[in-house]
């Protein structure tokens, strides 16, 4: 079979909570992708394209044929005048950011991790924060994919528009994405401002914080009334770069080394977790600096964790946080990570978490190896009752029947998937859970 280098290969995701043993294909060209898919379809084998393993769900798991796209050699093209870039699907966001910077361009928004491949980030609905910005898939102008029948299709708003509406956030279920064209902005500088605050103050001023900043998010520290507020706004020049020592102290030593030690201690001695949370909240001091946009958006994350994230109607945020506090206080174990809250604009992508509505994203985490399922299930019950939509790459327990009710174009997605992958070549246990068998 085209591109296979081994028939017995063990894979696991970044968090270590998903593992699988499978054959692996590493195609270097689109014809090799086509050959691998058509041969697999003829043999009744399932194919699962995977990225860099930064999803917590089983979206990339397979015990049959795993397709890794990091060696795929489709050409990169930058149209500086049109501010468009076309890149291979297996390119990481980090590499994409560097490519764009050399051309004087940048993505309008990013999440806080840049290790994902562009295709993996799109497939799961990866997003940043900012009331005027949708998920990363809203920046897509065109996608080229290989369908379950081996056909190569390029789709856009004008060409195969229904395929485009499905494939931008496609869960890896409608085809192997091989190339993506993205709409970019002129390269820009951000002024980052981070400060501790009282949670009631943040919630009382939420509307102004959301509308008054290009990008706004906050972290709430469980067992406290403390939060860390982060705003990023575009400025003409980088006139206040972060001192290297301060950057190392805050982003490397405190946020990774010290925080990892605190989580290990909290896992071993759970009674200390509330004190650790209070100390963590106080340890983060105010700072402001300027830098290239992607270097502000993206940060290093070396402390391993598992995560659930829900997109909620923005008006439901207060109710969700009140319920979350009650859940945490009533758990038989302690929560070791802060809660992250971000905001995004509405979009028209069929399986985007932001389809048709402005969203508040609430992300809950737990340190790797610590108990989490009762915590996650309790919050999911609250979020589902508020018409929440789970992030496709973050842990959740929803099925197709419950998801259909919160995605108005759910059945349209299934109809397009039936056309593009009639034999379910790209299905796995996760897609059968969330889309139906």
């Amino acid at each position: 079979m085209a591109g296979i280098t081994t028939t017995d290969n063990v894979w696991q995701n970044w968090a270590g909570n998903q593992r699988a043993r499978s054959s692996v294909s590493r195609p270097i060209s689109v014809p090799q992708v086509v050959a691998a898919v058509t041969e697999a379809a003829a043999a009744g084998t399932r194919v699962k394209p995977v990225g860099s393993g930064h999803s917590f769900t089983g979206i990339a798991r397979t015990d049959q044929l795993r397709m890794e796209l990091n060696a795929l050699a489709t050409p990169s093209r930058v149209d500086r005048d049109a501010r468009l870039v076309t890149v291979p699907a297996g390119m990481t966001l980090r590499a994409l950011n560097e490519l764009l910077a050399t051309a004087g361009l940048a993505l309008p928004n990013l999440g806080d991790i840049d290790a994902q491949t562009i295709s993996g980030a799109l497939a799961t609905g990866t997003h940043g924060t900012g009331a005027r910005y949708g998920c990363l898939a809203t920046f897509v102008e065109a996608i080229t994919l290989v369908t379950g029948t081996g056909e190569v299709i390029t789709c856009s708003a004008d060409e195969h528009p229904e395929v485009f509406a499905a494939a931008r956030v496609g869960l890896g279920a409608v085809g192997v994405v091989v190339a993506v064209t993205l709409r970019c902005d002129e390269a820009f500088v951000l002024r980052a401002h981070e400060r501790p605050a009282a949670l009631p103050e943040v919630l009382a001023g939420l509307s102004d914080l959301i509308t008054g900043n290009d990008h706004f998010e906050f972290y709430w520290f469980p067992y406290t009334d403390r939060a860390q507020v982060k705003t990023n706004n575009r400025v003409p020049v980088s006139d206040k770069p972060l001192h290297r020592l301060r950057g190392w102290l805050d982003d490397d030593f405190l946020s990774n080394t010290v925080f990892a030690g605190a989580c290990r201690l909290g896992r071993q001695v759970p009674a200390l977790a509330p004190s650790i949370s209070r100390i963590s909240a106080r340890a983060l001091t105010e700072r402001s600096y300027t830098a290239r946009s992607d270097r502000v958006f993206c940060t290093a994350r070396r402390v391993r964790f598992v995560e659930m994230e829900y997109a909620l109607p923005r008006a439901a945020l207060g109710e969700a946080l009140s319920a979350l506090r009650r859940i945490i206080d009533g758990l038989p174990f302690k929560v070791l990570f802060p809660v992250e809250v971000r905001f995004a604009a509405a979009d028209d992508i069929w399986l985007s978490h932001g389809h048709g509505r402005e969203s508040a994203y609430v992300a809950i985490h737990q340190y790797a190896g610590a108990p989490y399922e009762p915590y996650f299930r309790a919050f999911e019950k609250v979020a589902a009752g508020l018409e929440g939509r789970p992030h496709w790459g973050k842990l959740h327990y929803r099925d197709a029947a419950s998801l259909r009710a919160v995605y108005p174009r759910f059945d349209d997605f299934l109809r397009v998937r039936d056309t593009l992958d009639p034999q379910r070549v790209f299905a796995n246990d996760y897609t059968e859970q969330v889309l139906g068998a």
Side-chain angles (χ1 to χ4, degrees), residues 1 38 54 101 174 201 274 296 309 338-339 346 355:
M1 191 175 289
T38 54
H54 268 266
V174 296
E201 169 203 321
V296 173
E309 184 174 40
V339 172
H355 178 84

Side-chain angles (χ1 to χ4, degrees), residues 265-346:
L265 179 60
R267 186 175 60 187
Q268 293 167 359
V269 189
L272 294 177
S275 296
I276 291 171
S277 191
R278 286 191 292 270
I279 292 169
S280 297
R282 297 290 180 183
L284 295 173
T285 57
E286 185 170 10
R287 68 174 183 174
S288 179
Y289 65 94
T290 56
R292 196 175 87 184
S293 59
D294 61 286
R295 293 176 178 172
V296 173
F297 286 133
C298 303
T299 54
R301 291 285 184 266
R302 295 198 305 276
V303 182
R304 306 283 167 143
F305 55 86
V306 290
E307 180 179 358
M308 168 181 280
E309 184 174 40
Y310 259 85
L312 303 168
R314 196 174 293 174
L317 177 60
E319 184 177 349
L321 290 179
S322 295
L324 185 57
R325 171 168 287 200
R326 293 193 295 271
I327 289 167
I328 290 173
D329 288 344
L331 289 171
F333 52 84
K334 299 301 181 183
V335 173
L336 302 173
F337 259 72
V339 172
E340 183 181 21
V341 180
R342 293 181 285 177
F343 304 88

Side-chain angles (χ1 to χ4, degrees), residues 16-364:
N17 68 311
Q18 303 287 348
R19 296 179 180 83
R21 185 182 296 274
S22 65
S23 300
V24 58
S25 172
R26 298 186 178 91
I28 62 173
S29 67
V30 174
Q32 284 193 358
V33 174
V34 172
V37 170
T38 54
E39 290 173 25
T45 299
R46 288 180 168 182
V47 177
K48 182 49 58 179
V50 301
S52 56
H54 268 266
S55 289
F56 301 90
T57 62
I59 193 168
R61 283 189 59 190
T62 182
D63 58 4
Q64 297 190 36
L65 179 64
R66 184 172 82 252
M67 182 174 288
E68 297 179 351
L69 301 173
N70 54 311
L72 189 62
T74 58
S76 296
R77 299 188 301 275
V78 178
D79 185 334
R80 179 68 184 76
D81 294 335
R83 296 190 301 193
L84 296 175
V85 60
T86 300
V87 295
M91 177 178 281
T92 65
L93 291 175
R94 183 179 299 122
L96 173 60
N97 291 334
E98 292 301 328
L99 172 67
L100 293 178
T102 62
L105 298 172
L107 289 181
N109 198 11
L110 287 163
D112 60 1
I113 303 294
D114 60 5
Q116 306 105 312
T117 62
I118 184 60
S119 56
L122 298 176
T124 55
T126 295
H127 63 95
T129 191
R132 295 187 295 275
Y133 300 90
C135 64
L136 269 61
T138 61
F139 310 145
V140 175
E141 289 288 312
I143 290 177
T144 300
L145 55 82
V146 177
T147 73
T149 61
E151 183 181 4
V152 181
I153 292 178
T154 296
C155 59
S156 67
D158 299 318
E159 186 178 7
H160 304 294
E162 287 205 326
V163 176
F164 188 59
R168 280 182 288 170
V169 179
L171 282 63
V174 296
V176 180
V177 175
V178 293
V180 179
T181 300
L182 297 149
R183 182 180 67 260
C184 303
D185 283 356
E186 296 289 332
F188 59 96
V189 171
L190 286 172
R191 182 178 301 279
H193 184 211
E194 302 166 8
R195 62 178 176 87
L199 182 62
E201 169 203 321
V202 176
L203 297 179
L206 204 56
S207 179
D208 289 341
L209 286 165
I210 293 170
T211 60
N213 293 284
D214 294 330
H215 311 274
F216 157 68
E217 65 183 307
F218 70 91
Y219 292 83
W220 167 58
F221 293 84
Y223 314 109
T224 79
D225 283 319
R226 304 298 299 171
Q228 182 78 356
V229 173
K230 300 179 69 174
T231 59
N232 297 324
N233 289 290
R234 297 191 183 200
V235 292
V237 294
S238 182
D239 58 0
K240 192 179 180 182
L242 186 64
H243 191 281
R244 179 178 293 183
L245 178 60
R246 178 69 188 271
W248 172 83
L249 178 66
D250 289 346
D251 300 327
D252 194 337
F253 184 65
L254 289 177
S255 295
N256 283 292
T257 306
V258 172
F259 185 58
C263 286
R264 287 193 295 270
L265 179 60
R267 186 175 60 187
Q268 293 167 359
V269 189
L272 294 177
S275 296
I276 291 171
S277 191
R278 286 191 292 270
I279 292 169
S280 297
R282 297 290 180 183
L284 295 173
T285 57
E286 185 170 10
R287 68 174 183 174
S288 179
Y289 65 94
T290 56
R292 196 175 87 184
S293 59
D294 61 286
R295 293 176 178 172
V296 173
F297 286 133
C298 303
T299 54
R301 291 285 184 266
R302 295 198 305 276
V303 182
R304 306 283 167 143
F305 55 86
V306 290
E307 180 179 358
M308 168 181 280
E309 184 174 40
Y310 259 85
L312 303 168
R314 196 174 293 174
L317 177 60
E319 184 177 349
L321 290 179
S322 295
L324 185 57
R325 171 168 287 200
R326 293 193 295 271
I327 289 167
I328 290 173
D329 288 344
L331 289 171
F333 52 84
K334 299 301 181 183
V335 173
L336 302 173
F337 259 72
V339 172
E340 183 181 21
V341 180
R342 293 181 285 177
F343 304 88
D347 63 58
D348 62 353
I349 303 169
W350 288 352
L351 289 191
S352 166
H353 323 115
H355 178 84
R357 72 185 190 197
E358 296 178 331
S359 298
Y361 281 87
V362 179
I364 62 175

